[in-house]
Amino acid sequence: MNDKLYSITELADEFDITPRAIRFYETKGLLSPQRAGATRVYNYRDRARLVLILRGKRLGFTLEDIKEYIDLYDADRSHAEQLAHLMLVGRKRITELEQQLDDVQTTLGELRKIESEAADALRKRGLDPEESVREISKKLPTKVGA
């Protein structure tokens, strides 16, 4: 077993997050560091939990889902419930992402249609659509599409 201890700064630097984020995870019951006086001290288990938290967040899981998953690790030594939970929240997240993908594809299709219609309208006026876009870009205070 790894007996190395980590400071909040070491973990924050290692995972490119802020100490404030780590303290936030503590308030949510996801991490429970030991104390050496007033200093938080994290062990290998806390570090491993932080890896799971950050991975779960990257995948879009809620902190509640992440906490349930982590808590099941301690409650079920066979890890069967933990794995089933992972499948359940994973399936939920897949469904959410597939819906978002459908929504994005629909939006992209609508935007492409609008762009095509606008380009056709400019051509009917005898204007080059790309030149028109360059000209209007120069006049706008913020660069659209830049």
Side-chain angles (χ1 to χ4, degrees), residues 133 136-137 140-146:
V133 167
I136 195 65
S137 294
L140 295 175
T142 57
K143 301 292 181 194
V144 177

Side-chain angles (χ1 to χ4, degrees), residues 32-62:
S32 301
Q34 303 165 30
R35 299 276 180 170
T39 305
R40 292 172 170 86
V41 181
Y42 301 85
N43 59 25
Y44 182 78
R45 184 173 181 261
D46 295 316
R47 185 188 173 284
R49 283 175 164 248
L50 186 56
V51 168
L52 291 173
I53 293 164
L54 297 175
R55 182 177 186 212
K57 283 186 52 62
R58 188 176 63 252
L59 294 172
F61 296 141
T62 67

Side-chain angles (χ1 to χ4, degrees), residues 129-140:
E130 293 307 316
E131 181 60 31
S132 297
V133 167
R134 282 190 292 279
E135 289 301 315
I136 195 65
S137 294
K138 294 176 189 174
K139 296 177 183 178
L140 295 175

